[in-house]
Amino acid sequence: MEALEGAVRFFRDTCLRDTIRRHLYLILIALTVCGSLVKEFCPLPDSYLNNKRNVLNVYFVKLAWGWTLCLLLPFIAATNFSLTRNIKEVLRRMTSLLVGTAVWYTCTQFFLFIENLTGNCYNSTALEVVLEQGSRRECLIGGGFWHGFDISGHSFLLPYCVLLIVEETTVLHDLKLDRNRKIDVLISVLFVFLGILSLIFIWMYLCTALYFHEVDQKLFGTAFGLLGWYGTYKSWYTLPYSPGLPPKNTVVNRKSKHYKQ
């Protein structure tokens, strides 16, 4: 139990520090820009990290949104109920994950549309002979290689997931955890796993910048991720008719209002 509490303190006092949280989007942009410059001007030698079959890529990055949903769903339910004791409010906040899923699906489908619109079918990765295939799907079925403007899905999804996790876990600043309460132990475990998941995502996001895609493809991907986060948590969720932002400690707020009266 002490190890769990230590892990919670570590992630809360580092990853959720106000300075880091407010500037996280700038840190993410810097990672992709610096990594892309290294790839362009001083490419790193091949390693396990640029093997698309590496464990982190296969079991975490390709399932990034699934992992994020599986951990954030119970975390949002437990923390929001602990702070509000309002089932309707909990259900309303959980719809933010439906919004996130819609953002993820819409963006990935749009990326495929752009790649299909701008690409051609070739006989190999050498891009020498153009084949007569009307779409990416037909090209791949026919054994060809489709080359178009491939906006980086990893550069979109990984920062998007990290920003969502950080936004939702900030409730721990207002929630005092008690090791003797089962729900608080559950929250602590979920928070630690979300912290570990975020570190994996940031690391693989940097690896994407260092080894894969062109600079503009990564920048477009990152821009879509940041816009998805900003358009929801910094814009729409501040309005009354929305999933809303993570709650503050309503007990503390009520006491404060009573004291002022």
Side-chain angles (χ1 to χ4, degrees):
M1 189 61 68
E2 291 182 2
L4 178 61
E5 292 176 349
V8 169
R9 283 195 300 271
F10 169 77
F11 283 113
R12 184 172 55 196
D13 296 342
T14 55
C15 301
L16 294 185
R17 285 179 61 184
D18 188 59
T19 302
I20 293 178
R21 186 170 59 85
R22 287 189 292 108
H23 298 97
L24 181 57
Y25 72 100
L26 294 176
I27 295 172
L28 293 169
I29 292 173
L31 286 177
T32 199
V33 170
C34 294
S36 297
L37 290 175
V38 171
K39 180 180 180 295
E40 292 297 314
F41 300 106
C42 187
L44 300 178
D46 290 339
S47 69
Y48 183 71
L49 295 175
N50 71 326
N51 182 344
K52 293 183 179 181
R53 302 300 302 172
N54 75 68
V55 172
L56 293 180
N57 190 58
V58 172
Y59 293 105
F60 288 95
V61 177
K62 290 187 179 297
L63 302 174
W65 187 245
W67 280 109
T68 304
L69 278 182
C70 287
L71 292 175
L72 272 184
L73 187 65
F75 182 85
I76 290 175
T79 54
N80 282 251
F81 181 76
S82 292
L83 284 170
T84 67
R85 302 293 175 178
N86 187 323
I87 296 297
K88 289 185 178 180
E89 181 66 19
V90 172
L91 293 175
R92 183 172 80 98
R93 287 262 36 260
M94 288 174 68
T95 60
S96 63
L97 296 178
L98 290 177
V99 175
T101 301
V103 171
W104 163 73
Y105 182 79
T106 301
C107 287
T108 52
Q109 292 302 306
F110 177 71
F111 297 166
L112 290 174
F113 170 75
I114 293 298
E115 185 181 9
N116 189 71
L117 185 68
T118 59
N120 288 301
C121 187
Y122 297 87
N123 67 327
S124 70
T125 56
L127 308 181
E128 294 175 347
V129 180
V130 180
L131 304 178
E132 294 296 328
Q133 298 290 352
S135 68
R136 180 178 182 272
R137 182 172 178 273
E138 293 175 357
C139 176
L140 297 178
I141 292 176
F145 176 79
W146 187 266
H147 180 71
F149 188 73
D150 181 18
I151 299 175
S152 175
H154 288 181
S155 295
F156 152 70
L157 184 57
L158 296 178
Y160 182 61
C161 289
V162 170
L163 288 165
L164 261 61
I165 289 171
V166 170
E167 290 287 351
E168 293 295 343
T169 54
T170 52
V171 295
L172 286 215
H173 286 312
D174 295 292
L175 187 61
K176 186 177 180 180
L177 300 176
D178 184 350
R179 67 166 70 180
N180 297 316
R181 298 178 65 217
K182 292 182 179 180
I183 190 172
D184 286 351
V185 174
L186 173 63
I187 290 171
S188 297
V189 171
L190 289 170
F191 175 64
V192 171
F193 276 116
L194 284 165
I196 295 171
L197 189 67
S198 296
L199 293 180
I200 291 173
F201 286 169
I202 291 173
W203 173 249
M204 294 307 293
Y205 174 69
L206 177 60
C207 289
T208 298
L210 289 170
Y211 290 108
F212 301 104
H213 291 282
E214 302 300 323
V215 177
D216 51 354
Q217 296 170 347
K218 287 175 283 194
L219 290 177
F220 269 104
T222 299
F224 274 94
L226 297 184
L227 285 173
W229 158 73
Y230 190 88
T232 50
Y233 284 87
K234 300 302 181 183
S235 181
W236 180 30
Y237 289 0
T238 62
L239 303 177
Y241 298 102
S242 73
L245 294 169
K248 299 295 183 182
N249 193 324
T250 54
V251 175
V252 173
N253 290 342
R254 284 198 296 268
K255 288 182 178 179
S256 176
K257 290 179 181 179
H258 179 71
Y259 177 77
K260 289 179 180 179
Q261 291 174 352

